[in-house]
Amino acid sequence: MTDPGQNTAEQHPARPAERHPAGPGTPGTRAARTTSLIVTLVLGGLTALPPLSMDMYLPALPEVTDALHSPAATVQLTLTACLLGMALGQLVVGPMSDKWGRRRPLLAGMAVYVVATAACALAPNAGLLTGFRLVQGLAGAAGIVIARAVVRDLYDGVAMARFFSTLMLISGVAPVVAPLIGGQILRLTDWRGVFVVLTAVGLLLTLAVWRFLHETLPPERRQAGGLGATLRTMGALLADRVFTGYMLAGGFAFAALFAYISASPFVVQDIYGASPQTFSLLFGLNSIGLVLVGQINGKLLVGRVSLDKALGVGLTVIALAAVALLLMASGAFGKAGLAPIAGGLFVLMSAMGLAMPNTNAQALMRSRDAAGSASALLGTSTFLLGALASPLVGIAGEGTAVPMAAVQLGCALAAAACFLGLCRPWQKRG
């Protein structure tokens, strides 16, 4: 297990284009830059696929309920199945990529994703749709987990943190545009058309991976052994106090974000009376704030400020925003309107741009030779903690924003406790 320290790791890793030129006769700077851009776009597309698969489908839920003659609770299980599949699939695909390389498991996963998504478009009832969505999530997990592992193969230290911030620019746009795209698709066709579009997106990404994403894990760095070796590798990662600290800090921060995603439609529209258009605008602004802060982190802070300091600031701001939201929602300052609540949510969301890329980078720096397994643990813990936080926001009904703010504050404090108690950023690491 390696520990390069906060910012003392290798500062100039091989770029994707330098390690894997575009082809014979293209070693020049322009070709290298073009290939790097294409690889970045492919990795960004793979990380954007989960929010596209989840959020593009959201506007179609009422129509699915009517078309399949199923209760809303049953149709909502199709979302849960996809999320669960994405969480569990990473535990399988990540170790596979450490053993067999990145390309083969990724191409296999993407191929299954395309078939499962096409099957969703043809599903005759809610039960089969739920099953196909589970397979879609399991297969789509390959893109999430292997994209992070590829970044770890190619980058280290400051460069890796910068690249994760760049990926956030691409993947952060997906939750903003996905419901809008889904809504426009429903103007032209029915809910099955959403899955037809997702099938086409998956097919294009599969072809892009096959054409442009070369193998990044050489045979001499691959993990040998079967299930026992995989479990030992994951056990060793979890036994690394610092890795586990970053994993849990990032997972709890994401849980605070997921609490916002789950509760905000009810909070903004039902409690504070905003129109669907106003909600969409606020949701988009919050996502833009997250992306912009992520870019500030990657372009301005990384390399000038230690990753732990930037992460600490991000977690502190998230906690303070959650405290402010809880006080406003509970009426401590009198009856709060939509504007201050929206402002608190914007600050909380934007601070995620400091928390998420830096927890990923710091955790993966502990696991150069098991990046797939490490990425699997990061992704699975994130999805599971997010899924656990989601139902808690409605525990007191839909008439108050207090549960949302309380869950966000609890998650923020848990993230800070894991960061301080397990990572211990003030200690020098050998």
Side-chain angles (χ1 to χ4, degrees), residues 228-281:
T230 296
L231 294 177
R232 285 192 295 273
T233 298
M234 288 190 169
L237 287 168
L238 293 175
D240 179 0
R241 169 178 52 79
V242 179
F243 172 86
T244 300
Y246 286 121
M247 179 188 74
L248 292 176
F252 279 114
F254 181 82
L257 169 64
F258 210 78
Y260 156 78
I261 294 172
S262 301
S264 60
F266 304 103
V267 169
V268 174
Q269 294 179 83
D270 294 348
I271 299 176
Y272 292 96
S275 66
Q277 292 74 25
T278 300
F279 166 72
S280 299
L281 175 62

Side-chain angles (χ1 to χ4, degrees), residues 174-188:
V176 181
V177 302
L180 301 177
I181 295 173
Q184 294 306 308
I185 292 171
L186 293 176
R187 292 168 63 95
L188 304 174

Side-chain angles (χ1 to χ4, degrees), residues 130-308:
T130 301
F132 292 145
R133 286 282 278 175
L134 177 64
V135 177
Q136 183 193 38
L138 288 167
I144 315 170
V145 68
I146 293 179
R148 275 196 303 261
V150 167
V151 174
R152 182 63 187 95
D153 292 339
L154 297 174
Y155 297 95
D156 209 339
V158 167
M160 181 166 53
R162 284 179 175 150
F163 198 89
F164 275 125
S165 293
T166 301
L167 286 186
M168 183 170 287
L169 174 62
I170 301 171
S171 61
V173 174
V176 181
V177 302
L180 301 177
I181 295 173
Q184 294 306 308
I185 292 171
L186 293 176
R187 292 168 63 95
L188 304 174
T189 182
D190 63 4
W191 65 272
R192 299 182 189 275
V194 174
F195 288 108
V196 172
V197 172
L198 284 172
T199 301
V201 171
L203 183 59
L204 288 174
L205 267 176
T206 303
L207 294 174
V209 168
W210 178 77
R211 174 65 179 84
F212 298 111
L213 192 62
H214 300 273
E215 182 58 63
T216 59
L217 185 67
E220 62 272 16
R221 284 180 48 203
R222 295 178 188 175
Q223 301 287 312
L227 178 61
T230 296
L231 294 177
R232 285 192 295 273
T233 298
M234 288 190 169
L237 287 168
L238 293 175
D240 179 0
R241 169 178 52 79
V242 179
F243 172 86
T244 300
Y246 286 121
M247 179 188 74
L248 292 176
F252 279 114
F254 181 82
L257 169 64
F258 210 78
Y260 156 78
I261 294 172
S262 301
S264 60
F266 304 103
V267 169
V268 174
Q269 294 179 83
D270 294 348
I271 299 176
Y272 292 96
S275 66
Q277 292 74 25
T278 300
F279 166 72
S280 299
L281 175 62
L282 293 176
F283 192 92
L285 287 174
N286 290 340
S287 299
I288 291 171
L290 186 153
V291 169
L292 287 177
V293 173
Q295 294 312 292
I296 291 172
N297 177 72
K299 305 297 183 184
L300 299 179
L301 299 182
V302 172
R304 296 179 175 87
V305 178
S306 76
L307 301 186
D308 278 339

Side-chain angles (χ1 to χ4, degrees), residues 5-19:
Q6 285 178 253
N7 286 325
T8 59
E10 181 181 344
Q11 300 289 316
H12 303 288
R15 296 181 178 88
E18 292 171 344
R19 191 174 290 184

